[in-house]
Amino acid sequence: MLTAFARAFKTPDLRKKLLFTLGIIGVYRIGTHIPIPGVDYRSVQTCIDVAEGNQGLFGLVNMFSGGALLQITIFALGIMPYITASIILQLLTVVIPRLEALKKEGQAGTAKITQYTRYLTVALAVLQGTGLVATARSGALFSGCPVASEIVPDRSIFVTITMVITMTAGTAVVMWLGELITDRGIGNGMSILMFISIAATFPSALWAIKQQGSLADGWIEFGTVIAVGLVMVALVVFVEQAQRRIPVQYAKRMIGRRSYGGTSTYIPLKVNQAGVIPVIFASSLLYIPALIAQFSSSDSGWKSWIESHLVSGDHPIYISMYFLLIVFFAFFYVAISFNPEEVADNMKKYGGFIPGIRAGRPTAEYLSYVLNRITWPGSLYLGLIALVPTMALVGFGANQNFPFGGTSILIIVGVGLETVKQIESQLQQRNYEGFLR
């Protein structure tokens, strides 16, 4: 990976793209530290120090914003509204025929879906910004902080609207920065910003583990976490690169005096076909009842049950539900993102077939059979990786922001691999050996 980056900086046009990407990343990180108007910055910092390592419900969103959520900055919402909008549009594409037709129209249809995603992102940013302001005003953003209710001293309508508009504009700017990276930089812009947001929380999380340790001033715990992290990264890289290759043979066709086809290729089915989406779905679904209980003013039995079983994150019921939801959403997302019947029809249309399998319906059934078999280990792998922070919390007493595990390590490894592949592919286009040396 380091060799690829070193070679990229020696190529002028790639160097410009890398420097442009680094510049946009710098602008994004600066924006995550600029507080929005109407917020008492000193009270926020006091509450962050009190609630460090115990972010509760807002841990996932705070991770995606690079720590900007709890600081209530202009980029507090980060890219979470865009991620949610993209997932919603992807699910609606399967349900709504109009969106499915747009998806099949090629570049023009994709541009239209992207436009719809932007509109939905802004709408979700308004909704989430309003919820964040209401949470900050009620003092529920930092439970246990004595000055939590003083974070927003002025509670007038004008200040509230200004805060919501500022955070919505910040989300729009983040979306624009991501698209600039995609167009003029290296890699997928939103993925790069997500990578940077998560990686920015690693140093503080590792240092917190060192400070909380008791063996050799915490250095033994620190070294253990680093070693476990390296093993986790190796495991994730191994599984993310694993794929089942189904051979496909294309028959020869004679058109005039020329023959076409007769090539051999394969269909790559990844073991983790769903990526990190099932983990986000499961986290969001378990986030809803805990959020309802937090804003409920009554002291009923259901509220106490939710707070004791679904909020702490280390209860056996929460762990079981989280794991089962990840497995379910892995199968669900693979079912809507990969259509064996469509793949079989396209193969039949262009004269392709799987050796030993008849074209048409038998091919679709065979693809479904293989896909179900490899989705099982992929879903179990996702569930186990997502539970690593919980196991660290129970076994080692680490805080809930244990860096190597769950959504963070999946995204960082996945984005890192894809970015390096894109750099290497562009290097191969510019550096190739001719027939003569």
Side-chain angles (χ1 to χ4, degrees):
M1 182 179 71
L2 297 178
T3 305
F5 277 101
R7 290 171 55 201
F9 272 103
K10 295 178 181 178
T11 308
D13 52 345
L14 280 182
R15 183 170 61 244
K16 290 180 181 179
K17 290 185 177 182
L18 286 172
L19 292 176
F20 179 81
T21 303
L22 292 176
I24 296 296
I25 290 173
V27 173
Y28 174 68
R29 289 304 300 163
I30 291 173
T32 57
H33 293 86
I34 301 177
I36 63 175
V39 173
D40 187 353
Y41 186 72
R42 294 182 179 178
S43 300
V44 171
Q45 295 303 313
T46 302
C47 290
I48 288 177
D49 294 337
V50 171
E52 186 176 1
N54 186 25
Q55 297 172 0
L57 294 174
F58 305 97
L60 179 67
V61 185
N62 187 59
M63 179 187 69
F64 278 112
S65 65
L69 174 75
L70 295 183
Q71 296 186 17
I72 318 180
T73 63
I74 58 175
F75 291 167
L77 301 179
I79 56 176
M80 201 63 182
Y82 183 85
I83 296 173
T84 308
S86 301
I87 293 174
I88 291 175
L89 262 297
Q90 195 168 4
L91 294 176
L92 290 179
T93 303
V94 185
V95 180
I96 301 177
R98 168 62 178 164
L99 293 177
E100 188 175 1
L102 284 175
K103 185 179 179 181
K104 295 179 180 179
E105 288 181 4
Q107 187 175 359
T110 304
K112 201 69 176 178
I113 293 178
T114 303
Q115 189 176 2
Y116 292 155
T117 305
R118 293 171 184 164
Y119 295 152
L120 186 58
T121 299
V122 173
L124 290 175
V126 173
L127 185 62
Q128 294 181 10
T130 305
L132 178 60
V133 172
T135 306
R137 288 172 55 178
S138 65
L141 188 61
F142 297 97
S143 57
C145 178
V147 294
S149 58
E150 301 176 6
I151 291 178
V152 185
D154 189 351
R155 305 194 176 189
S156 62
I157 297 295
F158 176 76
V159 173
T160 302
I161 293 176
T162 302
M163 294 173 69
V164 173
I165 291 177
T166 303
M167 282 189 285
T168 304
T171 301
V173 171
V174 170
M175 186 167 53
W176 176 61
L177 293 177
E179 292 179 355
L180 281 179
I181 293 178
T182 303
D183 294 338
R184 301 173 58 184
I186 289 291
N188 182 278
M190 290 301 172
S191 299
I192 295 293
L193 294 182
M194 193 189 309
F195 177 95
I196 295 300
S197 299
I198 297 173
T201 62
F202 268 48
S204 60
L206 289 172
W207 191 248
I209 292 175
K210 188 266 175 188
Q211 290 182 325
Q212 293 173 4
S214 57
L215 301 176
D217 293 333
W219 288 110
I220 293 181
E221 288 90 343
F222 182 82
T224 304
V225 169
I226 295 295
V228 171
L230 293 177
V231 174
M232 292 289 300
V233 169
L235 173 64
V236 172
V237 170
F238 177 77
V239 179
E240 291 295 322
Q241 297 290 89
Q243 56 183 223
R244 167 71 184 276
R245 297 181 175 181
I246 299 178
V248 178
Q249 182 74 32
Y250 284 91
K252 284 187 177 181
R253 294 179 298 168
M254 294 298 297
I255 301 178
R257 294 184 178 182
R258 294 184 179 182
S259 64
Y260 295 89
T263 58
S264 298
T265 182
Y266 60 87
I267 301 175
L269 296 180
K270 296 181 63 177
V271 173
N272 182 22
Q273 190 85 3
V276 75
I277 300 298
V279 181
I280 297 177
F281 276 8
S283 303
S284 303
L285 201 61
L286 288 176
Y287 173 84
I288 294 174
L291 187 64
I292 294 174
Q294 188 176 42
F295 283 101
S296 178
S297 57
S298 62
D299 296 329
S300 56
W302 66 270
K303 179 181 178 181
S304 60
W305 188 90
I306 289 177
E307 290 178 346
S308 59
H309 293 79
L310 298 181
V311 174
S312 60
D314 56 352
H315 196 278
I317 293 181
Y318 176 87
I319 295 175
S320 302
M321 291 180 63
Y322 191 35
F323 184 82
L324 293 176
L325 283 173
I326 289 175
V327 173
F328 168 76
F329 281 122
F331 278 91
F332 174 76
Y333 188 77
V334 168
I336 67 172
S337 60
F338 185 88
N339 189 352
E341 295 182 357
E342 184 178 352
V343 175
D345 291 341
N346 290 334
M347 288 171 54
K348 185 178 180 180
K349 185 186 301 182
Y350 294 104
F353 63 93
I354 299 174
I357 307 294
R358 293 181 60 186
R361 185 174 182 82
T363 300
E365 293 176 351
Y366 177 75
L367 290 175
S368 299
Y369 170 74
V370 174
L371 194 62
N372 287 332
R373 290 192 65 183
I374 66 172
T375 303
W376 270 113
S379 61
L380 297 177
Y381 146 81
L382 275 179
L384 292 176
I385 291 292
L387 289 177
V388 167
T390 303
M391 288 186 271
L393 177 67
V394 175
F396 303 102
N399 59 44
Q400 292 183 0
N401 299 313
F402 183 77
F404 299 106
T407 315
S408 59
I409 197 71
L410 290 170
I411 292 176
I412 280 188
V413 172
V415 175
L417 289 174
E418 290 300 323
T419 305
V420 170
K421 284 181 181 178
Q422 184 170 347
I423 292 176
E424 288 181 343
S425 65
Q426 295 197 24
L427 283 173
Q428 289 177 358
Q429 293 176 2
R430 292 165 174 80
N431 298 286
Y432 60 92
E433 294 182 357
F435 294 107
L436 300 176
R437 292 184 180 275

